[in-house]
Each structure stands twice: as structure tokens, then as C-alpha cells.
Amino acid sequence: MSTPLPADTDDARYLALKARDARFDGRFFTGVTSTGIYCRPVCSVRTPRRENCRFFDLAAQAEHAGFRPCLRCRPELAPQALAWSVQDAGAILVRQALRLLDAPPAGSPLEGGAQVAQLAARLGVSDRHLRRLFDAALGISPLQYLQTRRLLVAKQLLTDTRLPVTQVALASGFASVRRFNAAFVQHYGLNPTQLRHAGPADAGRSRPVRLGYRPPYDAAALLAFFAARQIPAVEAADTRVLRRTARLSSGNAEHAGWLEATFEAARSRVALTVSDSMLPVLPQVIGRVRAMLDLDADPAAIATVLHGDFPEGDGLRVPGCFDGFELAVRAVLGQQVTVAAARTLVQRLVERFGTPIETPWPGLNRTFPAAAALATAEGSALGQLGIVRQRQAAIVALARAVDGGQLALHAHADVQATTAALCQLPGIGAWTAQYIAMRALRWPDAFPSGDVALHKALGVQGARQAARAAAERAQGWRPWRSYAVVRAWATL
């Protein structure tokens, strides 16, 4: 049983709820008035009566209305809703704010009010204006949304790890255990220890974390993309599993370890296992893995624009990355060479500048070089690896900009400012900047119009101005041109 997309009315949402349709996971939540619980559309409990259902676009709205999260379907596992608009300025600003608030906490936690003020300043509006937009669009405040996100992150850490409650509080963004305990009791009616007792009895610290996604999802195509570009010692991908080493900075601390992501297609989810060394920053790891595997994409919204031109590509996702600097270096080394040649150069770079690490898999034994390591690299050392001078200069300039804090390469960076800054670096042009925007900045509307393979796929390789012809052809694919690029590549 399936209901047509999209489910814009409560009756249509109820049909999706009855069908437990995973395509709607994260697109709405159902509050059940007879129990006071809110659930995902895929929840396995008996479907409630229609008159007992209230529907919400966001988990924060359900919690603001007084509902508690279901302990069975666990709303914190749902993919995020990443709708994009290119018309309503207020809606665009609210959506940008939600994306930034969804960013896992890093470094020292900020009090909620301070973080919202920082968010408003970053968006170039006042606190009051941001609150007004949230109230008009969502019926909740930015602080209420942020509090729900933090509590759901904490709920996942309590359920899926054995981290001490103190670490859970800090990792989920609370400034103190006291504030964390008070918020948990106020919202959920139980203390954090009680929730942990309600979870699985396994005492192991590295049990998998489940990450949901919306079907259709062509996991084989995504993993094949990673497998074709995998760097020995850093990553390994097969038809179902992606493993890699990882390094992540949080505040003044650096965490290095490994992760394993296994697709469970029958349940539309990924099982993520990480090393104990990465557990203190698990929320950030989850955020990066969700971006790397494009788990929050909404295939229905994308297909509305692209299905007519690419009818076979509805399950394709835009491959992301775990680390934006790593992706940028790999993009520079991939300029005007084959995938195999680029992989060879990156492998040499990892062997020379990477850091040794132990993992359960002997073949994965180094992390990708840090920006600080490449910022001071000698040209002769890079030249010995077979890297030409132009790309030597690009890599060093890129590393210095990232290491010095002038350039941020992640999903919450300002796309226009970042791509402009990239093009100011030696050896980096529009193609490289757009490719980085597509995979590292997670911009759904990136378009590397100068890509030769894209020209071939679109049939414009013989045009006098192929890049211009490709860009003109792509105008109708906004705001999903990144997905159009992936679908075009898949036709080759």
C-alpha cells in the first residue's frame, strides 16, 4: 500500500501512517492524543484511530504541543527534512536557520540563548526578527527547536552508547549536567538514567547507531562511487559496507579512530559503528556520516524536478565526504586526470603525510593528512610524489587557508562566499569550486558546468561553448542541479 506524494493533507498523512511508508520518514510526525506520544510514520505499533492523531512537520512542534518521543520508533533516528526554496526569502532564512541548528555541537557548549543570538548574527538578522519568522512559519521559537534537537541527540546517545551521563550532556550541547537533567525531566518525565535502563541490555560501548533514510535509495551506486575512488589505508567500500579512518577536532581536542557504515535496505537505514575513541564526538560523527551518505535527501522533492529528464535516477544520491579538506585536496589532485591517476596521487600523499592508526581491519591504518601537515609541506616533497607544481601550490594554499581558519569546508559554510574564496586560491577554478560545493558543502544546486564527462552525458561536447550550453540546459533543474549532475554521470 502506498499513497501518492506529497502528503500535504492530514488525511494523506494518515494513509502514509497506515502504510508505514518510509518515503515519508522525517517529513512529518504523528502525535497520538490518547497516549501523549509522538511517532515516525514508520512506527511498528498498532495504527492509532484517525481522531486521535495530530500531525506535525517537526519533532520540536510535537514536543512543544506536549507529546513525548516514542521509545520504539525513536524520532531521533528519522532523516532530517531539507526542503529548499528559491522564492520566499523568509522561508529560505528559516530553512537556513534549521540547518545550522541541526549542526551537532562542537567545542564548548553555548547556552541556548547565546547560540540563538549567534545564529541570528550569522544570518544577518536580529534575534527578534528570527523569533518572529520562526513563530510565523513553525509556531515555535528557535530556542524550542534547539532544545528538542539537543534532547533527541542525548536520547540517542543514552540509548545506543554507554557514555557517562556527563559526557552525554556535554556531547549533546548542554552546558552542565544539572541543566541537562532538568531539561530531560521537564520534557520527558524521566531522568536520563531511567531512559538508559529502558534501552538494550548490551553493555558494549560500540553498539551500532541506526540512521534512517527515505527510499528509494540506490546504495549500490553510491558505494560503487566510493569504491572506485577509495584510498587504501584510509577507506574501503564494497556492495553493502563503507569503512574508513576518521579524525575530528572538537574544541582543543582531536579525536582519531574509525567508523563502519552498513546499509540495511529492508529497513531503510544505516547501521553506524564507531571506535570508542570517537564516542565523545558521536553527534558530530553522525552529522558527517549523514552528509557523506546523503541520508537526509528527499527523493520525492528531487524527482518532481528531475524525473522527466532522468527517469532511471530517482534512487541516486550525491556522494558527500567525511572531511571537507580531504575532499578538496582530492578534487585538486583529480584535475584533468583520470580517477585512477588521481587515486594514485592521493595514495602517495597519504603514505607520506598521513598519521598511522590502528583499526580492526589491517588494511585501514592511516588517517588522511591534516591541514596543518600539508600547510608546511615542501614543494620538493610534494614533487617527489608526482604532483606537478601548479597543484603543489594549490594544495599548500588550500591547507594554509583551512589551517588558519580563513576557509571552512563543511555543510554549514556560506556557499557563495566559500566558492569565491576557493577561486581566489592558486590552481583552483570554477570546476573545482563547484565540485567541492557539491560534495563538501552539500549544496544541492552546485553545477560544475566545465566538466567534460557532464558535457558528454548531456550531448553538448561538440558545442563551441560547451560549458555555457550545459549551464543553459540545467536551468530547469534548479534547485537540484547537483542531483542532475549525478544522474547525468550515471548515464555514461
Side-chain angles (χ1 to χ4, degrees):
M1 178 179 177
S2 179
T3 186
L5 292 171
D8 291 330
T9 67
D10 286 354
D11 287 340
R13 289 181 171 186
Y14 187 68
L15 290 176
L17 178 66
K18 290 177 64 176
R20 296 186 175 89
D21 194 332
R23 295 177 300 167
F24 297 93
D25 194 12
R27 295 184 64 194
F28 71 86
F29 297 89
T30 305
V32 184
T33 57
S34 57
T35 63
I37 302 295
Y38 74 94
C39 300
R40 300 158 63 190
V42 296
C43 190
S44 61
V45 300
R46 187 174 64 181
T47 305
R49 295 167 63 92
R50 172 66 181 85
E51 59 266 26
N52 292 335
C53 294
R54 289 183 61 188
F55 298 101
F56 303 93
D57 293 326
L58 302 171
Q61 293 170 326
E63 296 203 4
H64 180 56
F67 293 93
R68 303 186 309 278
C70 177
L71 295 180
R72 178 172 295 186
C73 69
R74 300 178 57 193
E76 71 270 18
L77 304 185
Q80 297 297 309
L82 298 180
W84 285 82
S85 170
V86 293
Q87 296 179 341
D88 188 332
I92 292 172
L93 192 143
V94 169
R95 188 58 58 184
Q96 289 175 333
L98 291 178
R99 287 174 61 86
L100 292 169
L101 289 173
D102 283 335
S108 301
L110 290 172
E111 294 294 339
Q115 186 158 336
V116 172
Q118 187 181 73
L119 170 66
R122 178 169 179 176
L123 294 172
V125 297
S126 67
D127 293 18
R128 182 179 179 183
H129 184 58
L130 185 62
R131 290 195 300 270
R132 186 186 305 116
L133 288 173
F134 262 68
D135 183 62
L138 307 174
I140 57 175
S141 70
L143 186 56
Q144 288 167 334
Y145 183 85
L146 176 61
Q147 187 81 319
T148 298
R149 291 298 307 146
R150 286 176 167 174
L151 287 169
L152 290 178
V153 167
K155 183 175 178 292
Q156 184 169 26
L157 295 180
L158 289 167
T159 304
D160 291 333
T161 78
R162 288 296 148 188
L163 282 174
V165 172
T166 300
Q167 289 191 31
V168 169
L170 296 176
S172 52
F174 288 89
S176 71
V177 177
R178 180 180 62 82
R179 291 180 181 274
F180 169 57
N181 287 335
F184 218 87
V185 171
Q186 179 184 354
H187 282 73
Y188 298 156
L190 71 168
N191 63 50
T193 305
Q194 288 175 307
L195 180 65
R196 172 157 282 171
H197 288 165
D202 179 16
R205 296 183 65 187
S206 294
R207 70 164 65 108
V209 176
R210 312 296 177 181
L211 311 177
Y213 61 79
R214 303 176 188 91
Y217 189 120
D218 193 339
L222 186 82
L223 290 170
F225 183 94
F226 285 123
R229 293 158 179 80
Q230 66 189 16
I231 308 304
V234 172
E235 57 192 348
D238 58 29
T239 57
R240 184 167 164 265
V241 181
L242 174 66
R243 302 184 179 101
R244 63 162 295 137
T245 61
R247 184 184 60 254
L248 194 153
S249 297
S250 179
N252 296 323
E254 184 170 281
H255 303 265
W258 53 265
L259 63 87
E260 178 183 58
T262 304
F263 280 84
E264 299 177 348
R267 297 190 176 186
S268 298
R269 69 187 189 186
V270 171
L272 172 66
T273 306
V274 304
S275 60
D276 284 356
S277 60
M278 303 300 288
L279 286 174
V281 287
L282 183 57
Q284 294 98 300
V285 174
I286 290 173
R288 293 193 182 202
V289 171
R290 295 199 70 91
M292 178 173 66
L293 303 180
D294 201 12
L295 298 182
D296 292 321
D298 187 343
I302 299 166
T304 299
V305 176
L306 301 183
H307 182 82
D309 289 313
F310 305 100
E312 304 300 321
D314 289 351
L316 295 176
R317 302 294 174 100
V318 175
C321 63
F322 186 81
D323 181 85
F325 173 69
E326 174 186 326
L327 185 279
V329 171
R330 294 171 72 155
V332 168
L333 292 177
Q335 294 171 349
Q336 299 178 334
V337 298
T338 65
V339 170
R343 188 173 62 238
T344 298
L345 292 174
V346 179
Q347 181 178 348
R348 293 172 183 171
L349 193 74
V350 168
E351 291 172 352
R352 174 64 177 81
F353 294 98
T355 304
I357 190 173
E358 291 187 6
T359 74
W361 311 281
L364 298 183
N365 52 31
R366 300 184 85 81
T367 60
F368 192 85
L374 295 182
T376 58
E378 298 285 345
S380 58
L382 295 175
Q384 290 171 2
L385 304 179
I387 301 173
V388 299
R389 288 187 178 180
Q390 183 181 22
R391 294 184 183 86
Q392 293 173 24
I395 290 172
V396 172
L398 179 67
R400 289 175 178 172
V402 171
D403 186 49
Q406 293 88 31
L407 191 63
L409 301 175
H410 53 68
H412 304 287
D414 183 293
V415 174
Q416 302 299 337
T418 303
T419 52
L422 283 167
C423 290
Q424 295 299 312
L425 298 177
I428 295 183
W431 177 90
T432 306
Q434 288 294 307
Y435 185 77
I436 293 171
M438 182 171 74
R439 296 194 55 198
L441 307 187
R442 305 307 298 152
W443 189 29
D445 202 37
F447 193 74
S449 60
D451 187 79
V452 176
L454 182 61
H455 296 168
K456 183 177 181 180
L458 298 182
V460 299
Q461 71 270 35
R464 177 175 297 181
Q465 294 180 313
R468 181 175 180 178
E472 290 176 351
R473 171 101 181 261
Q475 288 303 306
W477 300 330
R478 289 179 176 273
W480 307 112
R481 290 184 300 172
S482 292
Y483 292 88
V485 170
V486 172
R487 294 187 184 202
W489 284 343
T491 65
L492 295 176

PDB file of all heavy atoms in Angstrom, residues 41-70:
ATOM      1  N   PRO A  41       6.337   8.040  10.868  1.00  0.00           N
ATOM      2  CA  PRO A  41       5.363   7.309  10.056  1.00  0.00           C
ATOM      3  C   PRO A  41       5.651   5.815   9.962  1.00  0.00           C
ATOM      4  O   PRO A  41       4.746   5.042   9.653  1.00  0.00           O
ATOM      5  CB  PRO A  41       5.482   7.976   8.674  1.00  0.00           C
ATOM      6  CG  PRO A  41       6.092   9.303   8.937  1.00  0.00           C
ATOM      7  CD  PRO A  41       6.974   9.132  10.124  1.00  0.00           C
ATOM      8  N   VAL A  42       6.890   5.410  10.216  1.00  0.00           N
ATOM      9  CA  VAL A  42       7.275   4.003  10.066  1.00  0.00           C
ATOM     10  C   VAL A  42       7.141   3.223  11.365  1.00  0.00           C
ATOM     11  O   VAL A  42       7.564   2.065  11.441  1.00  0.00           O
ATOM     12  CB  VAL A  42       8.734   3.895   9.551  1.00  0.00           C
ATOM     13  CG1 VAL A  42       8.849   4.478   8.166  1.00  0.00           C
ATOM     14  CG2 VAL A  42       9.712   4.585  10.510  1.00  0.00           C
ATOM     15  N   CYS A  43       6.564   3.812  12.408  1.00  0.00           N
ATOM     16  CA  CYS A  43       6.483   3.135  13.703  1.00  0.00           C
ATOM     17  C   CYS A  43       5.704   1.827  13.569  1.00  0.00           C
ATOM     18  O   CYS A  43       4.661   1.759  12.890  1.00  0.00           O
ATOM     19  CB  CYS A  43       5.816   4.034  14.743  1.00  0.00           C
ATOM     20  SG  CYS A  43       5.941   3.388  16.424  1.00  0.00           S
ATOM     21  N   SER A  44       6.189   0.778  14.260  1.00  0.00           N
ATOM     22  CA  SER A  44       5.591  -0.550  14.133  1.00  0.00           C
ATOM     23  C   SER A  44       4.415  -0.792  15.074  1.00  0.00           C
ATOM     24  O   SER A  44       3.825  -1.869  15.052  1.00  0.00           O
ATOM     25  CB  SER A  44       6.663  -1.618  14.384  1.00  0.00           C
ATOM     26  OG  SER A  44       7.201  -1.493  15.701  1.00  0.00           O
ATOM     27  N   VAL A  45       4.072   0.177  15.919  1.00  0.00           N
ATOM     28  CA  VAL A  45       2.940  -0.021  16.824  1.00  0.00           C
ATOM     29  C   VAL A  45       1.627  -0.012  16.034  1.00  0.00           C
ATOM     30  O   VAL A  45       1.581   0.414  14.874  1.00  0.00           O
ATOM     31  CB  VAL A  45       2.903   1.077  17.914  1.00  0.00           C
ATOM     32  CG1 VAL A  45       4.168   1.061  18.742  1.00  0.00           C
ATOM     33  CG2 VAL A  45       2.673   2.451  17.298  1.00  0.00           C
ATOM     34  N   ARG A  46       0.570  -0.487  16.669  1.00  0.00           N
ATOM     35  CA  ARG A  46      -0.730  -0.515  16.003  1.00  0.00           C
ATOM     36  C   ARG A  46      -1.137   0.907  15.613  1.00  0.00           C
ATOM     37  O   ARG A  46      -0.995   1.844  16.403  1.00  0.00           O
ATOM     38  CB  ARG A  46      -1.775  -1.126  16.930  1.00  0.00           C
ATOM     39  CG  ARG A  46      -3.124  -1.341  16.261  1.00  0.00           C
ATOM     40  CD  ARG A  46      -4.075  -2.075  17.169  1.00  0.00           C
ATOM     41  NE  ARG A  46      -4.378  -1.287  18.366  1.00  0.00           N
ATOM     42  CZ  ARG A  46      -5.181  -1.709  19.338  1.00  0.00           C
ATOM     43  NH1 ARG A  46      -5.717  -2.909  19.271  1.00  0.00           N
ATOM     44  NH2 ARG A  46      -5.415  -0.932  20.389  1.00  0.00           N
ATOM     45  N   THR A  47      -1.649   1.070  14.416  1.00  0.00           N
ATOM     46  CA  THR A  47      -2.038   2.392  13.926  1.00  0.00           C
ATOM     47  C   THR A  47      -3.142   2.976  14.794  1.00  0.00           C
ATOM     48  O   THR A  47      -4.169   2.323  15.023  1.00  0.00           O
ATOM     49  CB  THR A  47      -2.535   2.310  12.472  1.00  0.00           C
ATOM     50  OG1 THR A  47      -1.532   1.702  11.658  1.00  0.00           O
ATOM     51  CG2 THR A  47      -2.839   3.697  11.931  1.00  0.00           C
ATOM     52  N   PRO A  48      -2.948   4.186  15.296  1.00  0.00           N
ATOM     53  CA  PRO A  48      -3.975   4.796  16.148  1.00  0.00           C
ATOM     54  C   PRO A  48      -5.211   5.188  15.332  1.00  0.00           C
ATOM     55  O   PRO A  48      -5.177   5.280  14.102  1.00  0.00           O
ATOM     56  CB  PRO A  48      -3.271   6.024  16.717  1.00  0.00           C
ATOM     57  CG  PRO A  48      -2.215   6.350  15.720  1.00  0.00           C
ATOM     58  CD  PRO A  48      -1.756   5.051  15.149  1.00  0.00           C
ATOM     59  N   ARG A  49      -6.296   5.429  16.026  1.00  0.00           N
ATOM     60  CA  ARG A  49      -7.515   5.887  15.365  1.00  0.00           C
ATOM     61  C   ARG A  49      -7.285   7.280  14.784  1.00  0.00           C
ATOM     62  O   ARG A  49      -6.552   8.087  15.344  1.00  0.00           O
ATOM     63  CB  ARG A  49      -8.676   5.911  16.356  1.00  0.00           C
ATOM     64  CG  ARG A  49      -9.056   4.540  16.876  1.00  0.00           C
ATOM     65  CD  ARG A  49      -9.975   4.662  18.083  1.00  0.00           C
ATOM     66  NE  ARG A  49     -11.227   5.307  17.738  1.00  0.00           N
ATOM     67  CZ  ARG A  49     -12.330   4.665  17.356  1.00  0.00           C
ATOM     68  NH1 ARG A  49     -12.316   3.341  17.269  1.00  0.00           N
ATOM     69  NH2 ARG A  49     -13.436   5.320  17.065  1.00  0.00           N
ATOM     70  N   ARG A  50      -7.947   7.567  13.672  1.00  0.00           N
ATOM     71  CA  ARG A  50      -7.738   8.836  12.986  1.00  0.00           C
ATOM     72  C   ARG A  50      -8.041  10.026  13.886  1.00  0.00           C
ATOM     73  O   ARG A  50      -7.314  11.021  13.885  1.00  0.00           O
ATOM     74  CB  ARG A  50      -8.623   8.875  11.719  1.00  0.00           C
ATOM     75  CG  ARG A  50      -8.643  10.216  10.999  1.00  0.00           C
ATOM     76  CD  ARG A  50      -7.274  10.548  10.419  1.00  0.00           C
ATOM     77  NE  ARG A  50      -7.279  11.848   9.756  1.00  0.00           N
ATOM     78  CZ  ARG A  50      -7.086  13.017  10.381  1.00  0.00           C
ATOM     79  NH1 ARG A  50      -6.886  13.030  11.694  1.00  0.00           N
ATOM     80  NH2 ARG A  50      -7.090  14.150   9.712  1.00  0.00           N
ATOM     81  N   GLU A  51      -9.081   9.926  14.689  1.00  0.00           N
ATOM     82  CA  GLU A  51      -9.468  11.065  15.513  1.00  0.00           C
ATOM     83  C   GLU A  51      -8.480  11.335  16.650  1.00  0.00           C
ATOM     84  O   GLU A  51      -8.529  12.404  17.286  1.00  0.00           O
ATOM     85  CB  GLU A  51     -10.879  10.870  16.083  1.00  0.00           C
ATOM     86  CG  GLU A  51     -11.026   9.628  16.939  1.00  0.00           C
ATOM     87  CD  GLU A  51     -11.533   8.431  16.138  1.00  0.00           C
ATOM     88  OE1 GLU A  51     -11.296   8.412  14.909  1.00  0.00           O
ATOM     89  OE2 GLU A  51     -12.177   7.550  16.733  1.00  0.00           O
ATOM     90  N   ASN A  52      -7.584  10.378  16.910  1.00  0.00           N
ATOM     91  CA  ASN A  52      -6.583  10.557  17.963  1.00  0.00           C
ATOM     92  C   ASN A  52      -5.246  11.065  17.428  1.00  0.00           C
ATOM     93  O   ASN A  52      -4.292  11.177  18.201  1.00  0.00           O
ATOM     94  CB  ASN A  52      -6.349   9.237  18.700  1.00  0.00           C
ATOM     95  CG  ASN A  52      -7.555   8.798  19.506  1.00  0.00           C
ATOM     96  OD1 ASN A  52      -8.365   9.632  19.903  1.00  0.00           O
ATOM     97  ND2 ASN A  52      -7.697   7.499  19.732  1.00  0.00           N
ATOM     98  N   CYS A  53      -5.167  11.378  16.138  1.00  0.00           N
ATOM     99  CA  CYS A  53      -3.897  11.744  15.523  1.00  0.00           C
ATOM    100  C   CYS A  53      -3.805  13.258  15.285  1.00  0.00           C
ATOM    101  O   CYS A  53      -4.750  13.878  14.791  1.00  0.00           O
ATOM    102  CB  CYS A  53      -3.719  11.027  14.182  1.00  0.00           C
ATOM    103  SG  CYS A  53      -3.556   9.238  14.316  1.00  0.00           S
ATOM    104  N   ARG A  54      -2.663  13.816  15.659  1.00  0.00           N
ATOM    105  CA  ARG A  54      -2.302  15.184  15.281  1.00  0.00           C
ATOM    106  C   ARG A  54      -0.985  15.108  14.523  1.00  0.00           C
ATOM    107  O   ARG A  54      -0.081  14.357  14.918  1.00  0.00           O
ATOM    108  CB  ARG A  54      -2.151  16.074  16.510  1.00  0.00           C
ATOM    109  CG  ARG A  54      -3.461  16.410  17.213  1.00  0.00           C
ATOM    110  CD  ARG A  54      -3.213  17.345  18.381  1.00  0.00           C
ATOM    111  NE  ARG A  54      -2.623  18.608  17.922  1.00  0.00           N
ATOM    112  CZ  ARG A  54      -2.159  19.542  18.763  1.00  0.00           C
ATOM    113  NH1 ARG A  54      -2.199  19.358  20.069  1.00  0.00           N
ATOM    114  NH2 ARG A  54      -1.643  20.670  18.284  1.00  0.00           N
ATOM    115  N   PHE A  55      -0.879  15.866  13.444  1.00  0.00           N
ATOM    116  CA  PHE A  55       0.299  15.762  12.591  1.00  0.00           C
ATOM    117  C   PHE A  55       1.146  17.033  12.683  1.00  0.00           C
ATOM    118  O   PHE A  55       0.619  18.148  12.721  1.00  0.00           O
ATOM    119  CB  PHE A  55      -0.122  15.500  11.147  1.00  0.00           C
ATOM    120  CG  PHE A  55      -0.868  14.203  10.972  1.00  0.00           C
ATOM    121  CD1 PHE A  55      -2.250  14.189  10.865  1.00  0.00           C
ATOM    122  CD2 PHE A  55      -0.177  12.999  10.951  1.00  0.00           C
ATOM    123  CE1 PHE A  55      -2.941  12.998  10.732  1.00  0.00           C
ATOM    124  CE2 PHE A  55      -0.864  11.796  10.808  1.00  0.00           C
ATOM    125  CZ  PHE A  55      -2.244  11.799  10.703  1.00  0.00           C
ATOM    126  N   PHE A  56       2.472  16.814  12.704  1.00  0.00           N
ATOM    127  CA  PHE A  56       3.426  17.912  12.848  1.00  0.00           C
ATOM    128  C   PHE A  56       4.539  17.753  11.808  1.00  0.00           C
ATOM    129  O   PHE A  56       4.938  16.630  11.485  1.00  0.00           O
ATOM    130  CB  PHE A  56       4.045  17.903  14.251  1.00  0.00           C
ATOM    131  CG  PHE A  56       3.041  17.986  15.366  1.00  0.00           C
ATOM    132  CD1 PHE A  56       2.537  16.833  15.950  1.00  0.00           C
ATOM    133  CD2 PHE A  56       2.580  19.217  15.814  1.00  0.00           C
ATOM    134  CE1 PHE A  56       1.606  16.896  16.976  1.00  0.00           C
ATOM    135  CE2 PHE A  56       1.651  19.296  16.843  1.00  0.00           C
ATOM    136  CZ  PHE A  56       1.163  18.128  17.425  1.00  0.00           C
ATOM    137  N   ASP A  57       5.041  18.882  11.318  1.00  0.00           N
ATOM    138  CA  ASP A  57       6.154  18.838  10.367  1.00  0.00           C
ATOM    139  C   ASP A  57       7.475  18.536  11.055  1.00  0.00           C
ATOM    140  O   ASP A  57       8.372  17.934  10.450  1.00  0.00           O
ATOM    141  CB  ASP A  57       6.279  20.180   9.635  1.00  0.00           C
ATOM    142  CG  ASP A  57       5.090  20.448   8.725  1.00  0.00           C
ATOM    143  OD1 ASP A  57       4.553  19.486   8.157  1.00  0.00           O
ATOM    144  OD2 ASP A  57       4.703  21.629   8.595  1.00  0.00           O
ATOM    145  N   LEU A  58       7.610  18.961  12.311  1.00  0.00           N
ATOM    146  CA  LEU A  58       8.883  18.832  13.029  1.00  0.00           C
ATOM    147  C   LEU A  58       8.665  18.169  14.376  1.00  0.00           C
ATOM    148  O   LEU A  58       7.613  18.334  15.003  1.00  0.00           O
ATOM    149  CB  LEU A  58       9.517  20.212  13.254  1.00  0.00           C
ATOM    150  CG  LEU A  58       9.821  21.061  12.019  1.00  0.00           C
ATOM    151  CD1 LEU A  58      10.238  22.467  12.451  1.00  0.00           C
ATOM    152  CD2 LEU A  58      10.923  20.416  11.191  1.00  0.00           C
ATOM    153  N   ALA A  59       9.695  17.463  14.842  1.00  0.00           N
ATOM    154  CA  ALA A  59       9.633  16.868  16.173  1.00  0.00           C
ATOM    155  C   ALA A  59       9.474  17.945  17.231  1.00  0.00           C
ATOM    156  O   ALA A  59       8.766  17.766  18.231  1.00  0.00           O
ATOM    157  CB  ALA A  59      10.895  16.045  16.422  1.00  0.00           C
ATOM    158  N   ALA A  60      10.126  19.090  17.020  1.00  0.00           N
ATOM    159  CA  ALA A  60      10.044  20.169  18.003  1.00  0.00           C
ATOM    160  C   ALA A  60       8.613  20.684  18.149  1.00  0.00           C
ATOM    161  O   ALA A  60       8.200  21.087  19.240  1.00  0.00           O
ATOM    162  CB  ALA A  60      10.975  21.315  17.593  1.00  0.00           C
ATOM    163  N   GLN A  61       7.840  20.674  17.073  1.00  0.00           N
ATOM    164  CA  GLN A  61       6.450  21.108  17.164  1.00  0.00           C
ATOM    165  C   GLN A  61       5.634  20.122  17.995  1.00  0.00           C
ATOM    166  O   GLN A  61       4.785  20.526  18.796  1.00  0.00           O
ATOM    167  CB  GLN A  61       5.858  21.234  15.752  1.00  0.00           C
ATOM    168  CG  GLN A  61       6.477  22.342  14.920  1.00  0.00           C
ATOM    169  CD  GLN A  61       6.036  22.287  13.468  1.00  0.00           C
ATOM    170  OE1 GLN A  61       5.814  21.222  12.915  1.00  0.00           O
ATOM    171  NE2 GLN A  61       5.905  23.454  12.846  1.00  0.00           N
ATOM    172  N   ALA A  62       5.894  18.828  17.811  1.00  0.00           N
ATOM    173  CA  ALA A  62       5.179  17.815  18.593  1.00  0.00           C
ATOM    174  C   ALA A  62       5.512  17.955  20.079  1.00  0.00           C
ATOM    175  O   ALA A  62       4.620  17.867  20.935  1.00  0.00           O
ATOM    176  CB  ALA A  62       5.539  16.422  18.089  1.00  0.00           C
ATOM    177  N   GLU A  63       6.779  18.183  20.385  1.00  0.00           N
ATOM    178  CA  GLU A  63       7.169  18.317  21.789  1.00  0.00           C
ATOM    179  C   GLU A  63       6.619  19.608  22.384  1.00  0.00           C
ATOM    180  O   GLU A  63       6.222  19.648  23.553  1.00  0.00           O
ATOM    181  CB  GLU A  63       8.685  18.239  21.923  1.00  0.00           C
ATOM    182  CG  GLU A  63       9.231  16.885  21.516  1.00  0.00           C
ATOM    183  CD  GLU A  63      10.590  16.560  22.121  1.00  0.00           C
ATOM    184  OE1 GLU A  63      11.099  17.357  22.935  1.00  0.00           O
ATOM    185  OE2 GLU A  63      11.135  15.483  21.787  1.00  0.00           O
ATOM    186  N   HIS A  64       6.577  20.663  21.598  1.00  0.00           N
ATOM    187  CA  HIS A  64       6.003  21.923  22.074  1.00  0.00           C
ATOM    188  C   HIS A  64       4.518  21.750  22.397  1.00  0.00           C
ATOM    189  O   HIS A  64       3.988  22.418  23.304  1.00  0.00           O
ATOM    190  CB  HIS A  64       6.188  23.014  21.019  1.00  0.00           C
ATOM    191  CG  HIS A  64       5.639  24.351  21.416  1.00  0.00           C
ATOM    192  ND1 HIS A  64       6.019  25.017  22.565  1.00  0.00           N
ATOM    193  CD2 HIS A  64       4.707  25.151  20.808  1.00  0.00           C
ATOM    194  CE1 HIS A  64       5.376  26.161  22.652  1.00  0.00           C
ATOM    195  NE2 HIS A  64       4.564  26.272  21.611  1.00  0.00           N
ATOM    196  N   ALA A  65       3.850  20.844  21.681  1.00  0.00           N
ATOM    197  CA  ALA A  65       2.429  20.581  21.925  1.00  0.00           C
ATOM    198  C   ALA A  65       2.214  19.624  23.092  1.00  0.00           C
ATOM    199  O   ALA A  65       1.063  19.270  23.395  1.00  0.00           O
ATOM    200  CB  ALA A  65       1.782  20.024  20.662  1.00  0.00           C
ATOM    201  N   GLY A  66       3.312  19.157  23.710  1.00  0.00           N
ATOM    202  CA  GLY A  66       3.192  18.331  24.899  1.00  0.00           C
ATOM    203  C   GLY A  66       3.355  16.841  24.682  1.00  0.00           C
ATOM    204  O   GLY A  66       3.151  16.056  25.620  1.00  0.00           O
ATOM    205  N   PHE A  67       3.737  16.416  23.482  1.00  0.00           N
ATOM    206  CA  PHE A  67       3.924  14.990  23.216  1.00  0.00           C
ATOM    207  C   PHE A  67       5.364  14.568  23.522  1.00  0.00           C
ATOM    208  O   PHE A  67       6.308  15.355  23.359  1.00  0.00           O
ATOM    209  CB  PHE A  67       3.594  14.673  21.752  1.00  0.00           C
ATOM    210  CG  PHE A  67       2.133  14.854  21.411  1.00  0.00           C
ATOM    211  CD1 PHE A  67       1.687  16.059  20.897  1.00  0.00           C
ATOM    212  CD2 PHE A  67       1.239  13.832  21.619  1.00  0.00           C
ATOM    213  CE1 PHE A  67       0.336  16.245  20.590  1.00  0.00           C
ATOM    214  CE2 PHE A  67      -0.119  13.999  21.317  1.00  0.00           C
ATOM    215  CZ  PHE A  67      -0.564  15.214  20.802  1.00  0.00           C
ATOM    216  N   ARG A  68       5.529  13.321  23.948  1.00  0.00           N
ATOM    217  CA  ARG A  68       6.842  12.749  24.248  1.00  0.00           C
ATOM    218  C   ARG A  68       7.257  11.803  23.122  1.00  0.00           C
ATOM    219  O   ARG A  68       6.401  11.155  22.500  1.00  0.00           O
ATOM    220  CB  ARG A  68       6.829  11.983  25.568  1.00  0.00           C
ATOM    221  CG  ARG A  68       6.381  12.808  26.766  1.00  0.00           C
ATOM    222  CD  ARG A  68       6.525  12.026  28.066  1.00  0.00           C
ATOM    223  NE  ARG A  68       5.904  10.702  28.002  1.00  0.00           N
ATOM    224  CZ  ARG A  68       4.610  10.477  28.186  1.00  0.00           C
ATOM    225  NH1 ARG A  68       3.786  11.492  28.420  1.00  0.00           N
ATOM    226  NH2 ARG A  68       4.135   9.261  28.130  1.00  0.00           N
ATOM    227  N   PRO A  69       8.568  11.667  22.852  1.00  0.00           N
ATOM    228  CA  PRO A  69       9.012  10.806  21.753  1.00  0.00           C
ATOM    229  C   PRO A  69       8.786   9.327  22.048  1.00  0.00           C
ATOM    230  O   PRO A  69       8.956   8.866  23.178  1.00  0.00           O
ATOM    231  CB  PRO A  69      10.513  11.121  21.638  1.00  0.00           C
ATOM    232  CG  PRO A  69      10.901  11.633  22.985  1.00  0.00           C
ATOM    233  CD  PRO A  69       9.701  12.359  23.511  1.00  0.00           C
ATOM    234  N   CYS A  70       8.390   8.592  21.029  1.00  0.00           N
ATOM    235  CA  CYS A  70       8.167   7.152  21.133  1.00  0.00           C
ATOM    236  C   CYS A  70       9.491   6.443  21.405  1.00  0.00           C
ATOM    237  O   CYS A  70      10.508   6.725  20.756  1.00  0.00           O
ATOM    238  CB  CYS A  70       7.541   6.638  19.844  1.00  0.00           C
ATOM    239  SG  CYS A  70       7.294   4.852  19.779  1.00  0.00           S
TER     240      CYS A  70
END
